[in-house]
């Protein structure tokens, strides 16, 4: 999971942590956290109850989010390739490597981007995805909306 998503979703993850602590009767202490409020589009601070271990507060994450490799960073890469880079390439706004073939021409003459090849050529490792977030303003918000619809196993309902 990207550090960006972890920080933006901190309040959601603290709510999850609180539920688990209640369920298993784990002791908690009050602490202030900073989180991104998607409604006000500002960073805010609130008090939450978290478990405390060896001098540090702990925020738990659902197992399905942290297991299975880099699924969401890969999905965000695919989202960018399909919804941003392919459009730039089709509109000749993105210089292409001379040996790459990212566009196919259909029988009726229309051009179609080959997203699989674009994804493979332009994808970024997790720690460089911030470049896509900066370059394609609003893409992260669009991806969250897309993920809510297409990846229901991740509860993003608090990120309106």
């Amino acid at each position: 999971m990207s550090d960006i998503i972890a920080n933006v979703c901190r309040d959601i993850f603290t709510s999850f942590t609180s539920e688990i602590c209640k369920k298993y009767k784990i002791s908690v202490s009050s602490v202030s956290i900073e989180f991104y409020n998607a409604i006000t589009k500002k960073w805010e601070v609130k008090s939450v109850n978290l478990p405390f271990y060896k001098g540090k507060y702990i925020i738990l994450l659902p197992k399905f989010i942290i297991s299975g490799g880099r699924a969401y960073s890969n999905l965000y890469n695919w989202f960018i390739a399909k919804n941003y880079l392919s459009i730039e390439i089709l509109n000749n706004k993105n210089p292409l490597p001379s040996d790459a073939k990212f566009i196919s021409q259909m029988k009726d003459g229309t051009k179609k981007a080959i997203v699989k090849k674009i994804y493979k050529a332009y994808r970024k490792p997790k720690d460089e995805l911030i470049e896509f977030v900066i370059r394609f303003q609003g893409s992260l918000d669009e991806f969250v909306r897309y993920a809510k619809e297409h990846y229901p196993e991740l509860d993003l309902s608090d990120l309106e």
Side-chain angles (χ1 to χ4, degrees), residues 8 27 31 39 43 49 54 64 68 72-74 76 79 84 90 99 114 120 125 136 141-142 144-146 151 157-158:
V8 169
S27 63
V31 64
I39 296 168
W43 287 94
N49 292 318
K54 291 189 176 183
F64 71 89
Y72 290 100
S73 60
N74 288 339
Y76 181 64
F79 182 82
Y84 290 90
L90 284 170
D99 61 343
I114 305 170
K120 188 174 181 181
F136 302 111
D141 289 332
E142 284 183 49
V144 168
R145 285 191 292 276
Y146 179 86
Y151 312 116
S157 58
D158 290 340

Side-chain angles (χ1 to χ4, degrees), residues 95-117:
L96 300 174
S98 60
D99 61 343
K101 185 174 183 204
F102 297 119
I103 299 171
S104 65
Q105 189 154 345
M106 309 306 281
K107 288 181 181 180
D108 65 1
T110 60
K111 294 181 179 181
K112 180 181 174 189
I114 305 170
V115 178
K116 188 174 183 178
K117 288 185 179 183

Side-chain angles (χ1 to χ4, degrees), residues 24-85:
Y24 293 102
K25 297 179 174 106
I26 299 169
S27 63
V28 294
S29 300
S30 183
V31 64
S32 293
I33 63 157
E34 186 178 30
F35 70 100
Y36 184 74
N37 184 327
I39 296 168
T40 64
K41 300 197 183 307
K42 293 182 181 180
W43 287 94
E44 297 179 6
V45 176
K46 74 176 182 179
S47 182
V48 297
N49 292 318
L50 294 174
F52 191 77
Y53 181 72
K54 291 189 176 183
K56 295 185 179 187
Y57 288 95
I58 299 169
I59 297 176
L60 304 173
L61 302 177
K63 183 179 178 180
F64 71 89
I65 290 176
I66 58 174
S67 62
R70 305 274 188 245
Y72 290 100
S73 60
N74 288 339
L75 293 170
Y76 181 64
N77 266 309
W78 184 268
F79 182 82
I80 292 296
K82 180 180 178 196
N83 297 292
Y84 290 90
L85 293 170

Side-chain angles (χ1 to χ4, degrees), residues 143-155:
F143 176 70
V144 168
R145 285 191 292 276
Y146 179 86
K148 284 180 186 178
E149 185 177 327
H150 293 87
Y151 312 116
E153 67 274 7
L154 182 62
D155 181 11

Side-chain angles (χ1 to χ4, degrees), residues 74 77-78 85 118-125 128-129 132:
N74 288 339
N77 266 309
W78 184 268
L85 293 170
I118 295 168
Y119 166 79
K120 188 174 181 181
Y122 289 95
R123 72 178 177 234
K124 295 191 177 292
E128 293 178 21
L129 285 176
F132 281 156

